[in-house]
Amino acid sequence: MTVSPSTSMLQATLRADGFAFVAGDVMRGMLDGASMDDWPAFAASWNDLAPDTYLAATGRRRRRRHATFSIGPEGRLQRESHQPHFQSLQHNPLQGDIQRWFRPISPALADGTSLRRIIEFGYQLFAPLAPDNRHWHVETHQFRIEASAGEAGEPTPEGVHRDGVDYVLVLLIDRQNIESGTTTIHADDGGLLGSFTLTHPLDAALVDDARVSHGVTAVTAFDPALPAHRDVLVVTFKAAT
């Protein structure tokens, strides 16, 4: 029997270690999956992602969509107008210092129960860790990483990195015909602090981005003759200026 951690227990783990892994069955309970009534459509939307045209090297097949939200002092979640994703070269040496415009997550899904509940969970978990942050800038990214015969997929082509935010929530949606894709967590000196693999739907990685770096190893297809992909939702939380 799996014992579900409380939010306070997860916060204590993040304070102590800078990261945490949560199994999918536990996350489902913490998210109250019964309230996420658009989940089938939300999960299916990964089949409608657009190619990432900003990849710095050819042969890396990644699809994605993006949406931006804000959360004010009262905890009210608001979807913002479509805008670019920006990272500095310090945090993304491959694609930094440029405004990257990705296809938006559809308004119906961005305003739907699943995505909003996931964001609310992240806010309830992370905000008490930074009580001086009154306004939050939240970005949501749908990613599909594909692998094929003789060609691995790269979830983090920039390597071990920081996202340049305060906190990161990575949620596995699906993986088909995929092996590897191990998440690694690193200290400032590059030392390995921990590793785990998101293998089941709703398996989650929680990261204090200011304290630790993270990366994901390349994914390969079990059967090269069949389609292979790894689908994740990444939600980042950053103190708004």
Side-chain angles (χ1 to χ4, degrees):
M1 178 178 176
T2 302
V3 178
S4 298
S6 65
T7 300
S8 60
M9 289 173 63
L10 283 179
Q11 289 165 342
T13 300
L14 285 165
R15 287 189 182 100
D17 301 332
F19 71 97
F21 165 79
V22 184
D25 57 344
V26 174
M27 274 299 297
R28 185 173 289 105
M30 297 191 79
L31 289 169
D32 184 15
S35 69
M36 298 160 62
D37 55 15
D38 69 338
W39 181 261
F42 182 61
S45 70
W46 265 257
N47 295 318
D48 189 36
L49 305 189
D52 182 346
T53 60
Y54 292 93
L55 286 176
T58 60
R60 291 168 171 163
R61 296 193 299 171
R62 179 164 70 179
R63 300 176 182 274
R64 65 194 295 176
R65 286 182 182 265
H66 174 248
T68 304
F69 298 80
S70 62
I71 302 177
E74 71 290 346
R76 179 173 175 268
L77 176 63
Q78 177 175 314
R79 178 163 59 89
E80 298 297 325
S81 59
H82 190 51
Q83 54 193 267
H85 175 54
F86 181 86
Q87 290 174 295
S88 69
L89 276 172
Q90 174 189 358
H91 295 114
N92 190 330
L94 290 179
Q95 300 144 345
D97 283 358
I98 59 173
Q99 292 188 338
R100 289 183 286 164
W101 289 91
F102 300 111
R103 292 284 297 276
I105 296 174
S106 75
L109 294 176
D111 293 333
T113 55
S114 294
L115 184 56
R116 288 187 167 251
R117 176 63 195 120
I118 293 165
I119 296 172
E120 288 167 357
F121 167 82
Y123 171 73
Q124 292 162 359
L125 176 68
F126 296 135
L129 299 175
D132 293 337
N133 293 350
R134 305 284 288 166
H135 299 267
W136 293 89
H137 175 80
V138 180
E139 295 192 44
T140 56
H141 306 260
Q142 293 178 291
F143 286 101
R144 168 166 286 183
I145 307 300
E146 298 171 322
S148 61
E151 183 181 324
E154 296 182 84
T156 55
E158 64 272 42
V160 174
H161 65 286
R162 285 190 168 102
D163 285 344
V165 298
D166 291 293
Y167 301 100
V168 182
L169 164 62
V170 182
L171 197 68
L172 184 73
I173 305 301
D174 183 41
R175 53 186 286 156
Q176 293 291 329
N177 190 33
I178 283 291
E179 58 180 340
S180 193
T182 297
T183 298
T184 60
I185 307 294
H186 300 262
D188 285 341
D189 63 2
L192 182 66
L193 297 175
S195 65
F196 46 84
T197 304
L198 307 182
T199 56
H200 299 99
L202 296 182
D203 278 359
L206 310 170
V207 179
D208 183 338
D209 193 61
R211 290 179 54 199
V212 300
S213 301
H214 65 280
V216 183
T217 61
V219 297
T220 56
F222 278 116
D223 185 343
L226 298 176
H229 64 257
R230 177 183 186 266
D231 295 347
V232 298
L233 175 73
V234 176
V235 186
T236 63
F237 294 78
K238 183 177 182 179
T241 55

